[in-house]
Every structure is written in C-alpha cells, then in structure tokens.
Amino acid sequence: IAKAQREHRQIYPKAGWVEHDPLEIWESTCIVIADAMKGISPEEIASIGITNQRETTVVWDKRTGKPLHNAIVWNCTRTDEIAERVATDGLGGKDRLRRLTGLPIVPYFSATKILWIFEHVPGVRESAAEGNALFGTIDTWLIWNLTARQRHVTDVSNGCRTLLMNIHTLKWDDRLLSAFEVPRAMLPE
C-alpha cells in the first residue's frame, strides 16, 4: 500500500467565500500519484481511492477541459440568497425537497453553487444548455482527467450530496433539476 498527499491553496475572494483552483488540484493529484508510485509498477496496482469534499462544485468546458470558474467549496456562503429563494419557491421552506433528497435547501450543497455560477459567470448557463459545460464534485473532476476525458462519472454517495439526486431511486431527478435550473446533460453518470 502506498499513499501521498499534498495541500493546495484556499482562495478567499470575499468574506465567507471559499474557492479552490481545479487546475491546481489536478496538478497536485498528478504529483501525489507520481510520489505514491515510486518503486511500484502500474501492473501492481489493483485499485486507487479518491477522497474528496463531496459538495465542492466544479463546472468545466467539456471541449477544452478548462474550468469555467474556480471550484466553489462546500463551506462557501455566497449562495445563501439562492438557497433562500429556492426554499421559498413553494410550500415547505428549506425542507420542501427533503422527501426526495434527504437534505434541507441550504448553501452547503452543490445545486445552489451551480445556480450561482449560472447567474454570475457569463455564458455558462448557455454552454450547459448546449451540452458543453460539465458539472462534478472533485471526484468527478479528477476521474474525468484521470481517464483522459473519457469518463464523466460519480457515485451515489457523492451524487446524493448535490440536492439533485433522488435518494429513493438513486438517479438524477427532473423535479430537482427543474428547481435549480440544471440541465441533465451537464451531470455525471
């Protein structure tokens, strides 16, 4: 068994806002893979593990592979207003989607962060509608890069932390996608 780790920068554009540079995370990942592989041949590897912050949100251009914005980190508070707006758009307040998601509508989860990017980064909403912008949490971003842009995937333990996956069917749910204006085409398998 081998392991390696490396810290990356925390970016604070405003009080309460927290971002990470997805390209820096990818570069650091390549470095720790090389460090962990010292003295090991690829044939000896049966599996790898990825641990990540399940709510940190990355949106990138699938044609270029470039992030369309820095990753918005799980503890960033910039989406307070969006969470409040979605929560009050129907009966039940912040719990109105809980029976589908198991989660309250709060800024912690990825869906509010995607909507913030749509509303504040020019052209991203349109790119997503055209199928050219992809979303993922850090696991999805890393797997997409590790597979030479061939696999846009996540697992349900990460998907269920987005406010977009139905916890009963373990699938992306059209009612949730509609509530946050997220096109299905941008979501991982």
Side-chain angles (χ1 to χ4, degrees), residues 39-151:
I40 300 171
S41 69
E43 296 79 28
E44 296 177 85
I45 298 173
S47 65
I48 65 168
I50 298 174
T51 184
N52 69 289
Q53 298 168 342
R54 299 183 301 168
E55 295 82 9
T56 297
T57 298
V58 184
V59 176
W60 67 95
D61 187 310
K62 77 175 186 181
R63 299 162 299 182
T64 67
K66 302 290 185 216
L68 297 169
H69 190 274
N70 276 338
I72 301 178
V73 180
W74 63 273
N75 59 341
C76 183
T77 61
R78 78 183 68 192
T79 65
D80 285 343
E81 183 181 301
I82 290 171
E84 181 65 27
R85 185 175 75 223
V86 173
T88 57
D89 186 23
L91 300 174
K94 72 177 184 175
D95 292 319
R96 79 179 187 94
L97 302 175
R98 191 183 291 265
R99 68 178 179 78
L100 297 174
T101 66
L103 305 169
I105 302 169
V106 295
Y108 186 84
F109 304 110
S110 303
T112 63
K113 294 165 178 34
I114 297 169
L115 190 50
W116 186 93
I117 291 170
F118 285 171
E119 293 177 358
H120 293 89
V121 182
V124 175
R125 184 189 302 268
E126 296 76 16
S127 186
E130 294 165 0
N132 292 319
L134 299 178
F135 153 75
T137 52
I138 297 297
D139 66 311
T140 302
W141 166 248
L142 292 176
I143 293 167
W144 190 78
N145 281 289
L146 286 167
T147 61
R149 304 178 181 177
Q150 298 301 305
R151 301 288 297 157

